[in-house]
Amino acid sequence: MKLFRCDVDDESVDITVGRTGGDGTIRSPRLDVQLKCSGRKLLKPDGLHLQLKRKNYDDLRATGRHVPHILVVLLVPKSPAEWCANAAEKEMCLRQNAWWMSLEGAEENARVEKPIVLLPRAQLFHPLTLSGIMDRVGRREAL
């Protein structure tokens, strides 16, 4: 995997993930990602409830993009010292989890200034998840 950082957040894209090659219908697929991080208690029994700015929500729900977009939200402990730990010289362990979701085609919610997005508990974001998402992107499957 390759990561490309976006210096300007024009369309709610913080990073682009790329994969070289691949055996899907798209060679070298790409994925645009909007990153959010919070120390607030957003996790409830049905998933993570995140209030998004209207611009981010509208950018992420847009359809017809060449490169798909997802939202990734990382929850962290209140104290920065508790966010991660170095377990060994070549290893770092994060203390919380991240969740992901595609908002493509989501309803407009025009009356709400800051729509709440529900990221299901089952949609944890980790390296195997990202690999599976990139496989789906390469096969032009919905996320």
Side-chain angles (χ1 to χ4, degrees), residues 4-16:
F4 307 94
R5 193 177 120 230
C6 302
D7 292 329
V8 179
D9 184 359
D10 284 334
E11 294 184 345
S12 299
V13 176
D14 293 311
I15 61 169
T16 297

Side-chain angles (χ1 to χ4, degrees), residues 14-136:
D14 293 311
I15 61 169
T16 297
V17 179
R19 177 190 274 174
T20 304
D23 54 7
T25 58
I26 297 176
R27 182 165 171 79
S28 301
R30 299 285 184 262
L31 175 70
D32 287 336
V33 182
Q34 169 76 60
L35 300 169
K36 296 292 183 190
C37 180
S38 180
R40 291 180 280 150
K41 294 184 179 186
L42 304 175
L43 192 59
K44 299 184 184 341
D46 58 345
L48 190 138
H49 292 245
L50 178 73
Q51 200 169 31
L52 273 180
K53 291 180 183 175
R54 164 61 52 195
K55 180 205 179 305
N56 294 138
Y57 183 79
D58 287 342
D59 287 345
L60 291 168
R61 71 180 193 82
T63 59
R65 294 185 184 272
H66 179 68
V67 176
H69 282 60
I70 63 169
L71 170 65
V72 174
V73 182
L74 173 68
L75 287 186
V76 294
K78 282 187 177 185
S79 168
E82 297 175 18
W83 288 6
C84 64
N86 289 327
E89 188 174 297
K90 295 182 180 180
E91 183 177 283
M92 181 171 54
C93 178
L94 292 176
R95 296 285 184 207
Q96 290 285 352
N97 288 312
W99 285 263
W100 76 278
M101 181 174 197
S102 170
L103 295 175
E104 183 177 354
E107 64 182 69
E108 184 178 358
N109 282 332
R111 296 182 194 167
V112 181
E113 182 61 31
K114 291 186 176 181
I116 294 177
V117 176
L118 171 61
L119 292 86
R121 275 187 175 263
Q123 289 190 198
L124 283 170
F125 188 77
H126 50 73
L128 286 175
T129 303
L130 178 57
S131 182
I133 291 170
M134 294 304 290
D135 289 343
R136 289 166 64 185

